[in-house]
Amino acid sequence: MNKDNFFDSISTLKGVGPQLSKYLKKRKIEKIKDIILNLPYSETDRSKIVKLNELEVGTICSIKVKVKKLNFPRIRNLPNKIICEDETGNIDIVYFNSREGYLRKLFPLNEWVIISGKINFFNKRYQITNPDYVTSIENQDYVVKNIPKYNLTKGINEKKYRSISEKIISNIPEINDWLDDQFIKKNRLHNWSKAIKNLHLIEKKDNKSNSYRRIVFDEICANFLSLSENRKRIRKRKKAKVFNNQKVEFLIKKLPFRLTNSQKAVLGEIDQDLLSNKRMFRIIQGDVGSGKTIVSLLSIYNVTQSGYQTALMSPTEILAKQHFELSEKIFGNLLEIRFLTGKTEYKERKKILKELKEGKIDLIIGTHSLFQKKIEFNNLGLTVIDEQHKFGVKQRSDLAKKGGNNCDVLLMSATPIPRTMMMSLYGDMDISKINEKPAERKPIQTLSKPEKKINELWPSIKKQIESGNQVFWVCPLIEESSFLDYSSAKKKYEIINKKFPNKVGLIHGALDKEEKEIILNKFLKKEIYILVSTTVIEVGIDFPNANLIIIENANKFGLAQLHQLRGRVGRGEKQGVCILLFKEGLSKNAIKRIKILKNSDDGFFIAEEDLKLRGFGDLIGYQQSGIKNFRFADPLHHEDLFQLAEKYVLEIRDNINEKKYSFLLKLFDKAEIINVEEF
Ligand code: ADP
Ligand code: MG
């Protein structure tokens, strides 16, 4: 076998017919390399031959016995039975549905055989039903040993799988490693061929952990490399923008606040990209309220001043509207700004599209659907996409393509991603981080309360409303459920509406987009004071008057999510308060989680802690992230390898030798992504 064969279909192997291929496919084993990467998770100890008077029921044993009698009852439902013995006792070997001729061959009368399987006890006799192995004494070395245990599906047993895998594993050639020896040694890894063999072959008691680390490292690298390759494709050459970032200075001076150092640094990074002759594909990562919007608007201004058009997109209409109003305030009549959504009237829409095409508009603001429709620009120079955490890699690169070849792309996200996962989520982009909040911002006060004391809340809510403040009330469910003992938004709405008639609104995910917008608008205009909702309010809208949020069944939510939710309040001048309601009898872990939230206002820190306590399954944005695609790597256990791989890939990514890495990428099914055909 040479390494090209790794990518042949398993159906090219002798003894692998359509039926077996089908079963293997269920375990995602389609190519020979999939067998190589299907690592054993344990081993079965068949290495000792046990005397029949020392058998333990329930264990897997190997025995050496003489065939005494074959019993074929020929009555339906009665099994065939072979009675065997050694010097110390006897045992029944039992078969259902096996043909007589086959068994007679397998168990020659009065001969010694080796049998391995699970020991049962039935009718006061030891027995093995459908043993895993039966073989002659000459063949005993094949069976009586430790045998690797693989995850298999129904339809393939260990014996069958071994008949395919052992040949492949023992024939793995020495490959030309893509990591050099020094790097391997320094980072406690193993050379690839050695690592793979070491992990499959049980007898080798070499340090398996270093071998496993090697495969994990490779997997992470393959992932990062493919993202880097994506990045390279997006960052193609463009016409460099001639602009002068001094022009924006007077706008910065006019702002009612001073930019934080983080905001300034990020602006600088964006300027560099705008000036460069490669397309920008950058994401601003910043906690809720860190002030991403203004950074994007200042960059937008810069681009318009060099004669290009710009677009700003948001996930919801309300958010888009807020961006529009803010832009009008900041830019006044310095720029031609238009607002375009699905609801814009036909005539107005037609006019806007015409103006866009003629280059009369500097900045167009709308929902994400801006780009889904056919819109022509005169010369689009920058697209900004807000709150993009719902997009995956594929959607992002599609978006980037739509902007046209000269268009820079800037994304913004408030979803705090733990450090370890940053590259696997955003490796196709450059990352700018806003890691401080405006100094005068007061951290939100976070309290917790047992649910049964809910009645203590009404007076303070009443007081809030009387002084013109607004309240969010968040429930995990939309409707009551007979399976889940959680509070529902609909029920809560009824209860609160009775207490505060005409002051309460209800919003949840089952409403359509327009219904949601209507209610949010009412809240924004202070027509209602309490908004009962599910987590739909999570995304970046600014409600400066809301300063109290109550979250029911708070332990049902991830920490990062709770942090996002409480970020909805305290955005104006007033002190924001978040009350977490809990059922009695919280677990230790739950108490720890509340404590973290109470003590920290740092979304990144919280995300890290959440990761440690609950695993990465609960982080927002995780579902779309593709981090699930890791088979060996685990951000929690291999943090150092994620870091190492990141450093490694960042170093090589601008001049990747595709030939060198194509084998690695193919191993982890990343080759399709980057279209590497030959290697
Ligand atoms: P996010 O990063 O969550 O999108 P926003 O951009 O909506 O945050 O900003 C939140 C609020 O903070 C806005 O009202 C904005 O005007 C204000 N803000 C932004 N930058 C600063 C700053 N440097 N100092 C004080 N307030 C700021
Ligand atoms: Mg925002």
Side-chain angles (χ1 to χ4, degrees):
M1 184 165 63
N2 67 39
K3 67 178 183 158
D4 297 283
N5 298 123
F6 283 21
F7 306 104
D8 293 344
S9 157
I10 43 163
S11 61
T12 61
L13 294 169
K14 236 162 99 194
V16 182
Q19 190 64 25
L20 189 56
S21 292
K22 209 178 92 196
Y23 285 129
L24 287 167
K25 206 171 165 178
K26 278 194 195 145
R27 287 249 6 112
K28 298 215 163 65
I29 295 174
E30 295 178 49
K31 296 175 182 167
I32 289 176
K33 64 103 182 157
D34 295 322
I35 294 203
I36 294 172
L37 290 179
N38 187 31
L39 300 177
Y41 65 93
S42 174
E43 59 189 63
T44 307
D45 184 1
R46 304 183 190 273
S47 66
K48 276 177 237 66
I49 291 188
V50 182
K51 294 279 177 227
L52 292 183
N53 65 352
E54 289 168 352
L55 292 175
E56 262 179 69
V57 175
T59 59
I60 289 175
C61 288
S62 298
I63 55 176
K64 185 174 160 185
V65 290
K66 198 169 172 183
V67 180
K68 284 312 287 180
K69 193 173 166 209
L70 291 93
N71 190 351
F72 300 104
R74 295 195 178 80
I75 299 170
R76 275 182 109 215
N77 296 332
L78 276 188
N80 296 331
K81 207 181 264 179
I82 298 106
I83 297 147
C84 300
E85 65 172 30
D86 71 0
E87 322 70 83
T88 67
N90 48 47
I91 187 165
D92 296 344
I93 310 301
V94 177
Y95 283 90
F96 294 87
N97 317 316
S98 271
R99 271 176 296 123
E100 183 177 331
Y102 167 74
L103 292 177
R104 282 196 191 281
K105 236 167 137 181
L106 207 54
F107 295 95
L109 206 57
N110 289 321
E111 302 255 339
W112 288 85
V113 289
I114 299 286
I115 303 171
S116 190
K118 193 167 172 185
I119 310 295
N120 298 324
F121 198 68
F122 184 74
N123 268 350
K124 296 186 185 160
R125 289 177 62 79
Y126 285 111
Q127 67 175 39
I128 297 177
T129 308
N130 296 325
D132 304 327
Y133 297 92
V134 178
T135 189
S136 62
I137 304 289
E138 297 87 73
N139 232 343
Q140 97 172 53
D141 288 349
Y142 185 71
V143 175
V144 184
K145 62 177 181 185
N146 283 332
I147 295 172
K149 215 164 162 177
Y150 296 92
N151 256 323
L152 300 172
T153 60
K154 221 182 87 196
I156 320 167
N157 56 31
E158 176 186 299
K159 195 166 132 196
K160 185 78 222 169
Y161 189 76
R162 274 182 82 190
S163 71
I164 309 159
S165 69
E166 279 188 356
K167 237 183 278 145
I168 294 172
I169 304 302
S170 57
N171 280 318
I172 291 174
E174 277 296 318
I175 60 149
N176 210 349
D177 210 309
W178 50 91
L179 295 179
D180 62 54
D181 288 345
Q182 229 183 337
F183 183 88
I184 290 173
K185 245 192 221 123
K186 191 173 151 219
N187 295 294
R188 294 190 295 120
L189 305 169
H190 276 156
N191 130 323
W192 187 84
S193 311
K194 179 179 170 186
I196 279 289
K197 284 190 184 161
N198 196 11
L199 288 168
H200 279 284
L201 303 179
I202 297 294
E203 305 90 73
K204 287 203 175 172
K205 289 291 176 199
D206 273 2
N207 189 341
K208 286 222 193 306
S209 131
N210 288 5
S211 294
Y212 196 70
R213 282 168 56 82
R214 172 60 204 262
I215 305 308
V216 168
F217 182 76
D218 281 9
E219 183 181 38
I220 304 172
C221 272
N223 179 284
F224 289 3
L225 280 168
S226 69
L227 285 168
S228 287
E229 206 54 25
N230 243 335
R231 173 179 172 274
K232 205 152 89 190
R233 256 142 239 251
I234 293 166
R235 281 176 57 89
K236 279 198 285 255
R237 300 184 75 73
K238 67 167 191 209
K239 216 162 67 202
K241 296 181 172 55
V242 268
F243 80 77
N244 173 352
N245 61 1
Q246 295 307 309
K247 283 192 181 168
V248 78
E249 284 300 322
F250 85 98
L251 271 180
I252 295 177
K253 287 204 184 91
K254 262 178 33 186
L255 292 174
F257 46 73
R258 290 170 49 126
L259 293 179
T260 62
N261 288 332
S262 262
Q263 283 172 316
K264 283 187 210 155
V266 171
L267 264 177
E269 285 165 6
I270 295 170
D271 282 356
Q272 284 300 318
D273 280 356
L274 291 172
L275 281 164
S276 130
N277 60 1
K278 290 221 174 105
R279 287 182 67 192
M280 168 167 79
F281 196 47
R282 180 174 288 281
I283 182 159
I284 307 181
Q285 268 257 293
D287 207 351
V288 264
S290 60
K292 297 181 287 293
T293 320
I294 190 68
V295 172
S296 73
L297 290 179
L298 295 172
S299 302
I300 280 173
Y301 185 73
N302 272 335
V303 174
T304 60
Q305 293 315 292
S306 41
Y308 287 88
Q309 293 174 297
T310 58
L312 170 57
M313 297 190 281
S314 306
T316 66
E317 196 159 325
I318 291 225
L319 196 52
K321 191 77 191 264
Q322 289 199 331
H323 288 339
F324 177 64
E325 283 159 5
L326 182 65
S327 308
E328 298 244 280
K329 209 160 88 190
I330 290 181
F331 299 128
N333 41 26
L334 291 171
L335 299 182
E336 282 298 325
I337 311 170
R338 297 288 184 281
F339 183 58
L340 181 66
T341 73
K343 274 195 254 158
T344 310
E345 271 179 45
Y346 177 74
K347 249 174 91 183
E348 170 77 2
R349 179 179 186 84
K350 213 172 144 191
K351 186 163 164 257
I352 293 178
L353 293 187
K354 186 164 172 276
E355 288 175 331
L356 267 179
K357 201 172 165 187
E358 288 167 355
K360 286 184 184 150
I361 296 174
D362 299 310
L363 166 59
I364 181 129
I365 297 178
T367 47
H368 286 164
S369 65
L370 256 188
F371 259 171
Q372 268 135 34
K373 309 259 157 58
K374 249 200 160 170
I375 291 181
E376 283 179 77
F377 290 85
N378 181 39
N379 60 349
L380 183 62
L382 173 65
T383 299
V384 179
I385 303 161
D386 194 13
E387 298 294 349
Q388 68 69 54
H389 66 268
K390 298 260 148 79
F391 296 161
V393 174
K394 172 84 175 52
Q395 282 169 301
R396 283 201 299 257
S397 60
D398 285 352
L399 263 173
K401 271 182 217 140
K402 283 193 177 158
N405 285 337
N406 255 333
C407 178
D408 289 304
V409 181
L410 181 65
L411 300 111
M412 301 192 274
S413 171
T415 308
I417 305 291
R419 187 72 213 64
T420 331
M421 287 160 64
M422 203 70 106
M423 186 81 171
S424 19
L425 295 179
Y426 294 148
D428 53 340
M429 296 179 277
D430 292 301
I431 300 167
S432 285
K433 252 171 123 174
I434 301 188
N435 48 19
E436 62 184 325
K437 286 188 191 165
E440 53 283 13
R441 178 90 27 91
K442 295 176 214 118
I444 296 151
Q445 205 182 339
T446 303
L447 313 166
S448 58
K449 229 179 196 347
E451 226 170 72
K452 60 177 188 196
K453 291 193 181 165
I454 199 167
N455 283 331
E456 293 176 8
L457 293 175
W458 309 123
S460 58
I461 290 177
K462 188 158 176 265
K463 224 161 73 194
Q464 293 285 356
I465 294 177
E466 278 166 5
S467 47
N469 294 333
Q470 289 175 298
V471 181
F472 286 109
W473 191 295
V474 182
C475 302
L477 298 179
I478 299 176
E479 298 191 65
E480 293 296 289
S481 153
S482 41
F483 304 110
L484 298 167
D485 187 19
Y486 295 131
S487 173
S488 83
K490 282 188 176 169
K491 186 88 178 283
K492 203 44 110 216
Y493 168 76
E494 282 170 29
I495 296 171
I496 302 176
N497 198 35
K498 276 198 193 111
K499 292 186 191 294
F500 305 97
N502 302 322
K503 293 211 167 16
V504 193
L506 170 67
I507 188 170
H508 53 73
L511 298 179
D512 66 34
K513 248 184 143 161
E514 285 191 15
E515 291 172 300
K516 279 189 224 160
E517 304 259 340
I518 289 170
I519 292 165
L520 287 175
N521 257 321
K522 273 187 168 176
F523 193 57
L524 209 55
K525 288 185 194 145
K526 290 179 91 170
E527 287 167 23
I528 49 178
Y529 281 83
I530 304 175
L531 190 58
V532 180
S533 83
T534 54
T535 54
V536 292
I537 56 157
E538 190 183 283
V539 184
I541 315 166
D542 222 359
F543 294 101
N545 273 308
N547 66 339
L548 172 61
I549 183 165
I550 292 154
I551 305 173
E552 284 202 63
N553 305 116
N555 49 326
K556 162 98 179 43
F557 301 102
L559 283 187
Q561 199 174 14
L562 289 172
H563 179 67
Q564 287 278 318
L565 284 170
R566 77 174 165 183
R568 295 304 103 222
V569 300
R571 290 165 81 89
E573 278 105 63
K574 291 169 195 158
Q575 170 73 54
V577 178
C578 169
I579 299 177
L580 306 170
L581 289 180
F582 293 94
K583 284 207 174 358
E584 295 285 272
L586 285 180
S587 68
K588 253 194 190 147
N589 196 294
I591 293 170
K592 229 192 212 158
R593 296 175 60 233
I594 306 166
K595 219 170 177 177
I596 293 166
L597 212 59
K598 278 185 178 175
N599 294 336
S600 172
D601 190 35
D602 177 347
F604 287 92
F605 172 78
I606 289 169
E608 301 279 352
E609 294 301 304
D610 209 13
L611 182 70
K612 283 183 207 147
L613 287 173
R614 303 227 300 190
F616 50 89
D618 286 312
L619 291 169
I620 311 176
Y622 155 74
Q623 285 84 355
Q624 295 86 350
S625 69
I627 212 159
K628 227 181 201 161
N629 298 337
F630 283 115
R631 198 163 136 193
F632 305 109
D634 176 335
L636 276 183
H637 292 115
H638 306 116
E639 198 180 340
D640 67 319
L641 292 175
F642 273 85
Q643 278 166 16
L644 187 65
E646 180 170 336
K647 203 168 143 236
Y648 183 81
V649 171
L650 287 181
E651 260 166 38
I652 60 164
R653 76 172 175 184
D654 284 324
N655 36 38
I656 290 174
N657 177 346
E658 293 195 359
K659 241 187 158 121
K660 184 170 166 189
Y661 295 102
S662 56
F663 178 67
L664 170 69
L665 291 168
K666 280 189 150 193
L667 269 186
F668 289 99
D669 297 310
K670 300 292 184 194
E672 291 79 16
I673 298 172
I674 70 158
N675 281 321
V676 176
E677 286 318 337
E678 50 178 55
F679 59 100

